[in-house]
Every structure is written in structure tokens, then in C-alpha cells.
Amino acid sequence: CFIKNRLPRRTTMFKNVFGSGFLVRTAHVILTWVVTLILFLYNTDLRKQEETGQLIQPVVFVFLVLVSVLLYFAVSLMDPGFILSDDSNLQFTLGVTEEQQDMIPPSTKSLRQRRCGHCLLQQPMRSKHCQACQHCVRRYDHHCPWIENCVGERNHRWFVLYLAVQLLVLLWGMHIAWTGLSHAHSWHLWLRTNGVLLAVAVLLALLSLIVLLLLCSHLYLISLNITTWEFMSRHRISYLKHCGADENPFDRGTLQNLWSFFCLWGTVVWEQVYFREDSDQV
């Protein structure tokens, strides 16, 4: 039931770097490299290895930091799946023939083509209008203020990859900061000596916890093939109201859900997946 094709490119792949969210992105990048610089300036294992010519770990750490920054810009600037034009023949262009459409019988799962009340475009199933971005987004998950962009069909897997790399960098950075803490004869002297590294370690620990919770929650929802929006607002979503409390019409099993999310690219006709049980009976 997963019919995939690439939609016509009606938009550029990435948004303007200097558009909305420029200050947030700039603050993120500055904070990232300031913390990295501090880890090199203080007497941490990272600096000791650099001074002794053991460059493998310092180079790998800087490389991971760079990858995390690049992934951050990718997910924050990438088109998450904006719907910018009304296509009444979308089902046919994505592989649903007229004959297949006629095979979908009317049932308790009634399908209504909705028009967005804001941009007045026809919304495919699992899409939602984002008030912050002022666009409807395919397979909308949520709007993330951290990246100042929506997480949707096109950038969701990149967002999860970014969280994984960012978590690795944060945990490693926290360990490096811990190795730089030195002993002192009094608490006052210890705080003066280690205050900056201690603040960095606390900041990294807090961010690590946030990113860990985000990553775990996204992986859990992905394994169920449900979005954050659907999970939080199930009672308000028309195509889920007819389903039982524990019923998910998009669930194909944990392994299949993970495989489809990470390994299959393109656009899914969620209407066809939604009606697969009824279609199989015809």
C-alpha cells in the first residue's frame, strides 16, 4: 500500500538562511563553537591530547561538532514538505488510479477532502497548517522553535539523525568538561578555578537530557507510525476520531514502521494506507 513517487519540485529545497529564525540559528552556532573552544582552552583531556600530538580524538570531536552544525542547518532550512499549490488530482499523480479509487468503499472511516481555513489549499491526509510557518505541511509532526522550522515529511528523518549526533556530541563534551575539573584546598578556590568548566558541564548535562528525551520520544512514535501532532491531538483529528483508543490505521508493525521511515524515500499516499483494510476485502 506504500506507493511512492517524487512530487514535482515547486519549491526550492532550502529556505533563506537570513530569513525567519536567523537569530536563533546564529545563537545556536555561536554557543556550539564557544563551548567547543572552552573545552580546548582549559586543561581537559582534549587539550592534553592536542598538546602531546595525539590528534585522533580532538579531530574526531571537532568533526562531530561540525556534522551536528551542518545537520542543524539542514533540518532548519530544509523544506519540511510545504503544500504550496492546490492539486485536485494528487491521488492520481501519486499512483492511485481511478479504478483503485473506486475500489475504496464507503465505510465508518469516511474520507473528506479538507480545505485549509488559512491558505485555502486542499490538505492531504496527515497534513496540517502551521501558524508559525504560514504553510500546510505534509505528514506534519510539530513546529520546533529550536530549529525555527516545521518537522514534516521531508526533514523528519534528518531531524532524528541530528538529535542522535547532537546527543553524542553533548555526552562526549560533558565527559571532556568533567576531565578538566581540578582539585583545590577550599570550595571558594575550587569554584574560582573550575567555575567555567562546571557551568559548561551543567549546561551540557541539561541539554543532553532534553535531547535524549526528544530522541527517545521520536523513536517511540516512529515505531508506532504516528506523529507528535497525532499523538497529542488525537481527539481533534477527523480521520482518527472513528478509530478506537488503541487503534492506529497507519501502524504496520514496529520493524516495518522503522524500515519505512528510515529507508523508504518519497511521498506516501496515506489515504490508501488508511483504507487498506477495507480495500483488502474487495
Side-chain angles (χ1 to χ4, degrees), residues 16 26 36 67 71 85 136 144 164 170 174 188 194-195 205 228 234 250 252 255 258 267 269 273 281:
N16 188 350
T26 301
T36 303
V67 170
L71 284 173
S85 66
C136 288
C144 180
L170 290 170
M174 185 172 60
H188 180 71
N194 301 295
T228 302
R234 182 186 181 94
F250 308 113
R252 306 284 298 200
L255 293 179
L258 292 172
T267 298
V269 184
V273 178
Q281 297 172 2

Side-chain angles (χ1 to χ4, degrees), residues 195-251:
V196 175
L197 276 181
L198 181 62
V200 168
V202 171
L203 175 63
L204 294 180
L206 179 61
L207 292 176
S208 297
L209 179 61
I210 295 173
V211 174
L212 177 62
L213 292 175
L214 276 173
L215 180 60
C216 290
S217 64
H218 275 275
L219 290 176
Y220 171 72
L221 294 178
I222 290 166
S223 70
L224 300 177
N225 199 351
I226 190 169
T227 65
T228 302
W229 170 56
E230 291 169 342
F231 181 78
M232 300 294 294
S233 305
R234 182 186 181 94
H235 60 287
R236 296 192 291 119
I237 300 175
S238 59
Y239 57 82
L240 294 179
K241 286 181 178 179
H242 304 292
C243 303
D246 298 325
E247 182 185 359
N248 177 13
F250 308 113
D251 187 10

Side-chain angles (χ1 to χ4, degrees), residues 1-4 225 250 252 256 260 264 268 270 272-273:
C1 291
F2 286 93
I3 297 179
K4 303 198 177 268
N225 199 351
F250 308 113
R252 306 284 298 200
Q256 181 64 39
S260 299
L264 298 181
V268 178
W270 293 112
Q272 193 176 27
V273 178

Side-chain angles (χ1 to χ4, degrees), residues 33 60-74 161-162 165-166 169:
W33 290 113
V60 172
F61 180 75
V62 172
F63 174 75
L64 283 177
V65 172
L66 180 61
V67 170
S68 73
V69 171
L70 292 177
L71 284 173
Y72 173 79
F73 273 101
L161 178 60
Y162 162 69
V165 174
Q166 186 69 70
V169 171

Side-chain angles (χ1 to χ4, degrees), residues 75-128:
V75 296
S76 64
L77 299 177
M78 185 181 293
D79 175 2
F82 292 137
I83 302 171
L84 300 180
S85 66
D86 198 354
D87 190 351
S88 59
N89 296 318
L90 181 62
Q91 290 183 340
F92 305 113
T93 60
L94 293 181
V96 182
T97 64
E98 186 173 1
E99 180 182 358
Q100 288 172 325
Q101 190 183 35
D102 291 338
M103 289 174 63
I104 299 177
S107 65
T108 55
K109 294 179 178 179
S110 60
L111 174 63
R112 291 189 307 167
Q113 292 292 329
R114 292 189 311 164
R115 281 201 176 272
C116 176
H118 300 276
C119 54
L120 302 180
L121 297 177
Q122 207 166 53
Q123 292 181 322
M125 188 172 283
R126 308 192 82 180
S127 63
K128 182 183 181 296

